[in-house]
Amino acid sequence: MTNGPVTDGKALVAQFVQRLERRDWAGLAELLDPDVVYEIPQSRERISNRDRYVTFNAEYPGDWHLEPQVVLGDDRNGSVLFNWSVGDESSLAIAFFKFVDGRITKITDFWPEPYEPPPGREHLVERW
Amino acid sequence: MTNGPVTDGKALVAQFVQRLERRDWAGLAELLDPDVVYEIPQSRERISNRDRYVTFNAEYPGDWHLEPQVVLGDDRNGSVLFNWSVGDESSLAIAFFKFVDGRITKITDFWPEPYEPPPGREHLVERW
């Protein structure tokens, strides 16, 4: 198992997803600042503490799995587009990250849900 | 006005947002591959052509404005978290990009909408 400090932003995001997927809660905590802030802007939910954030993930219901599609990061910010699946259901989700001294200080999570397109652009757009 | 080719992925994303905000349609087109594919996974909408994609933006209703919050990019992929506003209303949105030879070949757009949090995590989460 690959634990320990990670300094590169892109590698930090990749390790974050991998340790979540493995339910490696100790390894996940190592990537996080003790005062990490986790936010979901869509539901206006916030967790401002590393232990509570790890518990939030450990208690999250269902046999969920994460598959990263795109991982990006520099020395201050990162992002991941990932496929989230539970059983036969799957959807795309996104997280943005802030880093300070090789630890994650902020996570902003997005869970976009399906919607019907507004009228007026049918002449430009195809559906799938 | 800063037009012309842009080779760095992060700069490409920054220019994309800036030229959209300026309604610089010719400058926007310069950043795009002629066969660029634009997708909104939430509404399962796709545009597979540069001219139609530029028209889609030019015809988009409302006096909308974009303010980038985080811009990331390497030589193959990029992402932007931005604030989208029309009048007094604003929301966060996200786009991911793929690049080939310094042009954008794929744009994947997400428009996350507000939702109420599911029950069961009130002991860990605060609201704002």
Side-chain angles (χ1 to χ4, degrees):
Chain A
M1 198 164 287
T2 317
N3 277 356
V6 178
T7 50
D8 170 60
K10 188 169 182 167
L12 202 47
V13 176
Q15 281 294 319
F16 174 88
V17 177
Q18 196 175 92
R19 294 178 190 188
L20 262 181
E21 172 64 21
R22 287 178 178 167
R23 277 65 170 163
D24 174 10
W25 307 125
L28 182 68
E30 283 181 23
L31 304 176
L32 305 172
D33 187 88
D35 297 320
V36 62
V37 174
Y38 170 77
E39 289 185 351
I40 306 179
Q42 291 169 275
S43 60
R44 304 182 317 286
E45 289 175 287
R46 179 185 294 127
I47 299 172
S48 309
N49 172 279
R50 177 169 60 190
D51 293 343
R52 277 203 298 279
Y53 175 66
V54 173
T55 301
F56 172 80
N57 285 288
E59 292 185 355
Y60 206 96
D63 182 23
W64 47 268
H65 292 281
L66 310 174
E67 194 184 341
Q69 309 280 309
V70 181
V71 173
L72 288 160
D74 59 25
D75 55 337
R76 295 179 56 194
N77 293 280
S79 66
V80 59
L81 173 63
F82 61 98
N83 197 62
W84 157 273
S85 62
V86 180
D88 292 339
E89 292 190 19
S90 75
S91 63
L92 292 171
I94 299 123
F96 279 83
F97 303 85
K98 291 192 185 298
F99 316 124
V100 175
D101 296 333
R103 297 224 181 208
I104 297 168
T105 57
K106 177 90 186 275
I107 305 166
T108 309
D109 223 359
F110 295 95
W111 300 92
E113 300 201 331
Y115 63 79
E116 285 304 302
R121 58 207 205 189
E122 302 84 351
H123 58 302
L124 300 169
V125 165
E126 54 180 314
R127 304 290 304 280
W128 82 80
Chain B
M1 195 165 288
T2 317
N3 277 356
V6 179
T7 50
D8 171 61
K10 189 169 183 168
L12 202 47
V13 175
Q15 280 295 319
F16 174 88
V17 176
Q18 195 174 93
R19 294 177 191 190
L20 262 181
E21 173 64 20
R22 288 178 178 168
R23 277 65 171 163
D24 173 9
W25 307 125
L28 182 68
E30 283 180 23
L31 304 176
L32 306 172
D33 187 88
D35 296 320
V36 62
V37 174
Y38 170 77
E39 288 185 352
I40 306 178
Q42 291 169 273
S43 60
R44 305 182 318 284
E45 289 175 285
R46 180 184 293 127
I47 299 172
S48 309
N49 173 277
R50 176 169 60 190
D51 293 343
R52 277 203 299 279
Y53 175 65
V54 172
T55 301
F56 171 81
N57 285 288
E59 291 185 356
Y60 206 95
D63 182 23
W64 47 268
H65 293 282
L66 310 175
E67 193 184 341
Q69 308 283 308
V70 181
V71 173
L72 288 160
D74 59 24
D75 55 338
R76 295 180 56 195
N77 293 281
S79 65
V80 60
L81 172 64
F82 61 99
N83 197 63
W84 157 274
S85 62
V86 180
D88 292 338
E89 293 190 17
S90 75
S91 63
L92 292 170
I94 299 121
F96 278 83
F97 302 85
K98 290 191 185 299
F99 316 125
V100 176
D101 296 334
R103 298 223 181 211
I104 296 168
T105 57
K106 177 91 187 274
I107 304 165
T108 309
D109 224 359
F110 295 95
W111 300 92
E113 302 201 329
Y115 62 80
E116 285 303 303
R121 57 207 205 189
E122 302 84 352
H123 59 302
L124 300 168
V125 166
E126 54 180 315
R127 304 290 303 281
W128 81 80

